[in-house]
């Protein structure tokens, strides 16, 4: 089950080329898929409630995985939060850097970044809510 709020090019799942995906074992694939489900569920829940308002049980229920599976991938709620903030802030910042690297006018850089951010938040509302909530949080 894939979360429609995630853009395929910026998925939380561990990326790999098609050849390596074909060669990965069933267990490795299932582990990667379970981790992605946990991250997607945590993103949706934390976008609405913040990290403090979400329990590990809620994350595993939303991801439709067993409670113990959480600890196969993350040592704590803070660890999954760190993975999410890294993805949302670092990966997105890298994307913006690639979009504007050829631009020299600072005003154009700001305009392109703002436009891209707003369009993505509109296209991916869960991502946008997480960005707004956590962008102003002391935890991020």
């Amino acid at each position: 089950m894939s979360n429609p709020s995630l853009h395929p090019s910026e998925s939380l799942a561990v990326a790999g080329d098609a050849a390596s995906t074909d060669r990965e074992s069933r267990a490795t694939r299932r582990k990667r898929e379970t981790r992605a489900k946990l991250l997607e569920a945590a993103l949706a829940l934390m976008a609405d409630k913040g990290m403090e308002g979400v329990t590990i049980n809620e994350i595993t229920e939303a991801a439709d995985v067993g409670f113990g599976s959480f600890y196969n991938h993350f040592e704590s709620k803070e660890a999954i939060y760190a993975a999410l903030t890294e993805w949302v802030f670092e990966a997105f910042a890298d994307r913006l850097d690639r979009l504007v690297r050829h631009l020299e006018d600072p005003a154009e850089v700001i305009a392109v970044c703002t436009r891209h951010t707003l369009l993505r938040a509109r296209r991916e509302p869960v991502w946008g809510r997480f960005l707004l909530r956590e962008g102003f949080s002391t935890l991020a």
Side-chain angles (χ1 to χ4, degrees):
M1 179 171 108
S2 178
N3 185 333
S5 68
L6 297 177
H7 191 273
S9 66
E10 300 182 46
S11 173
L12 292 171
V14 177
D17 62 23
S20 66
T21 302
D22 290 343
R23 290 189 300 255
E24 79 181 350
S25 71
R26 179 175 176 224
T28 301
R29 185 182 71 251
R30 288 178 59 98
K31 185 172 183 171
R32 178 179 42 80
E33 290 168 354
T34 299
R35 184 175 195 278
K37 284 181 180 182
L38 288 165
L39 286 164
E40 289 171 359
L43 176 66
L45 291 165
M46 291 180 184
D48 289 333
K49 299 179 179 184
M51 187 194 71
E52 298 300 327
V54 175
T55 66
I56 292 172
N57 191 54
E58 286 177 296
I59 295 169
T60 58
E61 286 291 319
D64 196 27
V65 300
F67 185 82
S69 294
F70 180 90
Y71 292 102
N72 291 332
H73 300 277
F74 303 100
E75 61 186 48
S76 65
K77 184 170 64 169
E78 291 75 17
I80 197 168
Y81 176 80
L84 285 175
T85 55
E86 180 179 341
W87 170 71
V88 170
F89 296 112
E90 296 298 323
F92 187 61
D94 290 346
R95 173 76 174 126
L96 292 178
D97 286 344
R98 287 190 307 273
L99 280 173
V100 300
R101 69 174 160 229
H102 66 284
L103 302 176
E104 294 183 24
D105 180 5
E108 190 176 5
V109 170
I110 291 169
V112 168
C113 290
T114 301
R115 183 175 191 277
H116 182 76
T117 302
L118 293 173
L119 288 173
R120 182 169 177 195
R122 184 176 184 199
R123 185 179 66 242
E124 302 173 45
V126 170
W127 178 89
R129 284 194 311 275
F130 186 82
L131 181 70
L132 281 175
R133 173 183 287 280
E134 299 308 323
F136 296 109
S137 108
T138 57
L139 296 171

